[in-house]
Each structure stands twice: as C-alpha cells, then as structure tokens.
C-alpha cells in the first residue's frame, strides 16, 4: 500500500489546494478552508490530452467545494500531466493526429487507447482512494462519488464497476464499445451527459452507453451542440446530483 505524501499547499477563494503523490502518481486535493471535520469525497477524472489542474478540473472543483462542501481529488492519468509517456502512448497519439489530419474517424483510436489507459489507471485510483481515506478529514466511513467525462468516463466506468465505496457517479461524452459490459455492472445512481450534435460520438452510441447502466436511478442530460460545447451549467447540475446522493458537509451552504 502506498502512502500519500503532500508536496505543496496553497489557498484561494475559500478553497485549500494540496498537491500530493501516491507512489509515483501525482494528484491534487481540493478541500474547504472551513466547515465540518468530515466531508464527502468526489474523485474526478480529467479528459484526454489534459491534466489534473486543467481549467475544467479546477472550475468543477471550485463548484464542488464551495457549493457542496466536498473534498475533490484528481490524479494525472498515465502519460498525462506530470507523467512521462511510454512508447505506446506516443504511438497512439501519433495515430490519432494522423487520423485527424486525414479526416478519418477518431473514435476507434480513442476507444482503443482509452481502454488501455483505463487498465493502467484503475489500480492507481484504487490506491489513491485507499490513501485519501487515511486522512482524518475524509476517513473510511464517508461517501465517495466519481465525476469524469470523455477519457474520465473511459477510466471511471471500469473503476466504479469494481469499487463499492463509490456510490454515485457522473459520466458522459464517450463511446460504448469498451464500456457497455462494465456499465451493466454499475447499479449506483448515474447522471449522464451527451451532446446531441456530437461530431465524434453518434447519438445512438451515446444512448447505447446510457442504456447499458444497470442503475435504477439514472438521468440523461442531452444538450444541443458539438462535442466540446457541453454547457457549463451541467457542472452545477453535477454538484446538485452529488449533494443529493452523498450529502454535504455541515459547513456547506444550504
């Protein structure tokens, strides 16, 4: 079991930011500056080609901390952020750029590469969750959620499928090819985002993944617009979803 080591600490806008490592995996933990001694934890997976402190991650974390009173943790996926790329990473990224330049479908490459990344990332998330629950402000008895779109869904679906500590999740913006069978094992409440005019993921593919989840409570959020035009208000909806299913700390606004 790897221990969690904090490397730096800063604060702004009522939010404490702590960089950490678990083994060789770098991550960041955002927490309320004040509030209850214990608060629920939300794990967030970042998208492909980005990293743990990408603006979308910090923006969502700010909402989750300020409006829900949650702790929020993100780790760099293999080959992303502060982590070196393997020869396989470089090969798949080069193939993606080649297909994009040639006007060929990117989906088959992204699905294949993300599935391989998930095989590497899921054990790292399990070790990170173990380490985070060792912190007194999180503990082992508090609820845990998962929030990840795009590649964050590719990693999050197999993670949630095997991790009973995660009791609610927000997914979206991914193909069903490598995920549908794993989604059938997920029964926790789900909120799922899709773009109705997604130029990469056909509507029927997005709907097929949503349909695959075995959850009795699952909500589909379909918005007009292209793949990268997910409305920002969906982040606010995710906060409300996690407040409903994980609760909120005593210090969070009502």
């Amino acid at each position: 079991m790897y221990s969690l080591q904090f490397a730096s600490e800063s604060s702004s806008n009522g939010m404490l930011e702590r960089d950490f490592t678990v083994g060789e995996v770098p991550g960041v933990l955002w927490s309320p500056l004040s509030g209850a001694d214990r608060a629920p934890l939300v794990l967030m997976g970042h998208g492909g080609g980005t990293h743990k402190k990408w603006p979308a991650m910090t923006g969502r974390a700010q909402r989750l901390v300020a409006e829900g009173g949650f702790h929020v943790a993100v780790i760099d996926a293999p080959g992303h952020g502060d982590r070196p790329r393997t020869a396989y990473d470089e090969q798949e990224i080069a193939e993606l750029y080649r297909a994009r330049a040639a006007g060929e479908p990117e989906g088959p490459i992204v699905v294949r590469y993300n599935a391989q990344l998930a095989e590497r990332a899921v054990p790292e998330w399990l070790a990170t969750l173990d380490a985070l629950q060792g912190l007194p402000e999180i503990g082992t008895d508090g609820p845990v959620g998962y929030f990840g779109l795009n590649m964050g869904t590719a990693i999050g679906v197999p993670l949630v499928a095997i991790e009973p500590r995660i009791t609610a999740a927000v997914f979206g913006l991914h193909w069903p090819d490598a995920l549908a069978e794993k989604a059938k094992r997920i029964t926790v409440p789900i909120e799922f985002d899709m773009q109705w005019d997604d130029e990469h993921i056909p509507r029927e593919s997005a709907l097929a993944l949503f349909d695959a989840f075995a959850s009795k409570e699952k909500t589909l959020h379909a918005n007009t617009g292209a793949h990268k035009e997910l409305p920002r208000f969906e982040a606010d909806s995710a906060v409300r979803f996690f407040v409903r299913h994980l609760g909120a700390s005593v210090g969070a606004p009502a």
Side-chain angles (χ1 to χ4, degrees):
M1 179 182 294
Y2 295 108
S3 62
L4 185 148
Q5 303 292 329
F6 286 115
S8 65
E9 179 178 308
S10 62
S11 62
S12 63
N13 299 319
M15 185 167 70
L16 175 66
E17 177 181 300
R18 290 174 284 179
D19 292 322
F20 67 82
T21 56
V22 177
E24 297 182 353
V25 178
V28 57
L29 176 64
W30 288 288
S31 303
L33 275 176
S34 61
D37 292 335
R38 291 286 184 93
L41 171 66
V42 176
L43 309 177
M44 283 203 305
H46 64 76
T50 69
H51 55 77
K52 61 186 179 294
K53 293 187 181 181
W54 194 254
M57 295 293 98
T58 57
R60 291 169 191 166
Q62 180 68 52
R63 286 177 167 89
L64 287 161
V65 172
E67 299 170 28
F70 300 117
H71 298 285
V72 182
V74 188
I75 60 174
D76 281 331
H80 288 70
D82 294 324
R83 304 184 64 182
R85 291 176 177 173
T86 65
Y88 177 80
D89 294 328
E90 297 287 3
Q91 174 185 325
E92 290 288 69
I93 292 168
E95 178 64 11
L96 176 61
Y97 287 153
R98 184 206 63 76
R100 185 174 297 168
E104 298 174 359
E106 301 176 13
I109 302 167
V110 175
V111 167
R112 180 182 66 224
Y113 182 40
N114 282 356
Q116 201 274 345
L117 288 175
E119 291 182 3
R120 294 150 63 186
V122 167
E124 296 171 349
W125 265 121
L126 295 175
T128 299
L129 179 53
D130 288 343
L132 289 169
Q133 288 193 321
L135 297 174
E137 63 267 36
I138 295 176
T140 59
D141 55 348
V144 180
Y146 181 89
F147 185 1
L149 306 176
N150 300 295
M151 189 182 75
T153 286
I155 293 172
V157 169
L159 171 64
V160 176
I162 65 168
E163 179 47 76
R165 289 175 290 183
I166 299 175
T167 57
V170 175
F171 296 125
L173 302 178
H174 209 277
W175 297 261
D177 307 56
L179 299 179
E181 288 303 313
K182 296 178 177 64
K184 292 176 182 178
R185 298 165 55 186
I186 294 177
T187 59
V188 301
I190 296 295
E191 187 167 283
F192 189 89
D193 296 325
M194 66 172 286
Q195 289 298 93
W196 202 245
D197 308 299
D198 198 314
E199 69 275 27
H200 300 302
I201 305 171
R203 293 174 190 172
E204 59 270 22
S205 294
L207 292 170
L209 180 53
F210 172 74
D211 190 52
F213 291 102
S215 308
K216 291 183 178 179
E217 180 181 334
K218 56 181 181 179
T219 305
L220 176 67
H221 287 203
N223 290 281
T224 58
H227 184 73
K228 294 186 177 180
E229 295 178 346
L230 183 73
R232 290 190 177 184
F233 59 69
E234 288 296 352
D236 297 319
S237 176
V239 173
R240 294 192 296 271
F241 171 84
F242 286 122
V243 169
R244 286 198 307 274
H245 294 290
L246 304 182
S249 72
V250 173

